[in-house]
Amino acid sequence: MNEFEHLLESILPPSATILKLQNANNRPAILLADIDGDRLKELIVAYKYQGENYLILLKKSYNIWYPMAEIKGKGYAITDLMAVPLTPLGVNSLVIGWQVESIWSQLVLLQWKMYNFVNLLTNYVYYSKLFVEDMPGKYGKDGQFELAIWTHDIGDAYMVDVYRYQGSGLTIAEDVYPYYFKKVASYNKKILQKYDISYYWYYLAEALLNSEEYNHALTSIDKALTFTNPYPSKDKMLELRNEILSKLRQN
């Protein structure tokens, strides 16, 4: 992206600085992707100017890049910037994470319509980690990308849910749980190799339940219940255990 950094020096305000992506090894927040569906790639850049964050969209015409739109950002830094098809239309949407606190980012989803961006989210969504991919369901991939949102709880433990954009907001994408929560289970298993703590067993049991590995989920929640004063609570663990037993009976 060095050639674009040089180009942007002549486009951005003189004292502006291109932001670095905190979740991508601090690489420049510069993205080349087709946003308007014309099969030609646009240039998207996040930058800071006079203490404020901005996002600018540039389009190329007759070998010259010119601004199409600019919006004001959030927070004090940027963690994520990507372009993927979130809607059934198949046109790329912008997925942006504006860093608002040390371990919290605000999720912004933008869709290009006519001559400007439209925010796909009507509510505030915050996350600690974000993973975006076209996740396979029962019948494989469908071309529409899902978002796995990890929310920090305690220690290295995270609450995880997977969403899909539908209609006017995000909805739970349970059909891809068996695929994605295998990754969540693997994460918790690695943590447990270092720390034998109740809440890692709890989140492992939850991940195994969502992965449809019910016997292993039952073993994990029973292990979590052996701890004195388990976290999040004994009642929540018993609730999860009953849910696992219910699935075992059904299967």
Side-chain angles (χ1 to χ4, degrees):
M1 291 293 181
N2 288 337
E3 70 273 22
F4 293 117
E5 290 184 65
H6 181 70
L7 164 73
L8 290 164
E9 288 179 2
S10 62
I11 297 174
L12 299 181
S15 60
T17 56
I18 297 171
L19 292 171
K20 306 289 185 182
L21 292 168
Q22 305 299 304
N23 287 348
N25 299 319
N26 286 324
R27 67 174 176 81
I30 300 173
L31 179 65
L32 198 62
D34 177 17
I35 297 300
D36 57 7
D38 65 356
R39 299 187 181 182
L40 298 174
K41 292 182 178 180
E42 286 76 47
L43 187 62
I44 304 99
V45 184
Y47 70 93
K48 185 180 289 289
Y49 177 62
Q50 293 184 347
E52 301 284 352
N53 291 336
Y54 295 89
L55 188 83
I56 188 170
L57 175 70
L58 302 156
K59 193 168 184 67
K60 194 174 186 179
S61 179
Y62 297 104
N63 214 33
I64 296 174
W65 290 96
Y66 65 93
M68 284 181 70
E70 185 175 59
I71 62 169
K72 193 174 181 180
K74 313 279 186 181
Y76 62 90
I78 190 169
T79 52
D80 299 279
L81 176 63
M82 61 194 90
V84 296
L86 292 179
T87 70
L89 298 174
V91 179
N92 283 331
S93 305
L94 281 182
V95 179
I96 307 162
W98 294 109
Q99 190 167 14
V100 293
E101 291 185 26
S102 59
I103 60 167
W104 297 107
S105 296
Q106 182 178 343
L107 180 66
V108 174
L109 305 178
L110 300 176
Q111 188 77 49
W112 183 259
K113 289 188 178 180
M114 298 298 288
Y115 302 105
N116 213 336
F117 283 115
V118 174
N119 196 335
L120 295 179
L121 295 179
T122 56
N123 59 323
Y124 294 108
V125 178
Y126 298 94
Y127 67 89
S128 305
K129 295 182 180 182
L130 178 69
F131 299 92
V132 183
E133 63 173 298
D134 182 5
M135 302 180 192
K138 185 177 179 180
Y139 302 105
K141 298 180 179 182
D142 60 2
Q144 187 176 351
F145 279 54
E146 285 76 28
L147 301 98
I149 293 178
W150 293 50
T151 305
H152 181 259
D153 184 8
I154 186 172
D156 291 319
Y158 294 84
M159 296 176 282
V160 182
D161 248 318
V162 183
Y163 297 88
R164 178 183 296 115
Y165 183 81
Q166 194 168 24
S168 59
L170 297 177
T171 59
I172 295 292
E174 285 192 27
D175 56 309
V176 300
Y177 272 21
Y179 162 77
Y180 189 76
F181 274 92
K182 286 181 172 61
K183 297 185 178 185
V184 181
S186 294
Y187 169 82
N188 285 292
K189 286 175 183 176
K190 288 180 181 177
I191 296 295
L192 280 163
Q193 290 174 4
K194 296 180 180 179
Y195 310 107
D196 186 21
I197 302 175
S198 64
Y199 46 80
Y200 295 129
W201 285 107
Y202 172 82
Y203 280 114
L204 174 59
E206 185 180 64
L208 290 168
L209 168 63
N210 289 328
S211 303
E212 300 181 350
E213 298 178 49
Y214 305 126
N215 286 307
H216 290 144
L218 183 61
T219 301
S220 297
I221 197 63
D222 283 344
K223 174 66 176 178
L225 283 162
T226 64
F227 289 81
T228 305
N229 300 319
Y231 182 89
S233 71
K234 188 173 182 179
D235 286 344
K236 287 206 71 173
M237 289 187 177
L238 288 173
E239 185 181 328
L240 179 60
R241 190 178 192 275
N242 287 334
E243 191 177 347
I244 295 167
L245 287 172
S246 176
K247 290 291 185 181
L248 275 168
R249 291 189 201 101
Q250 292 173 27
N251 289 271

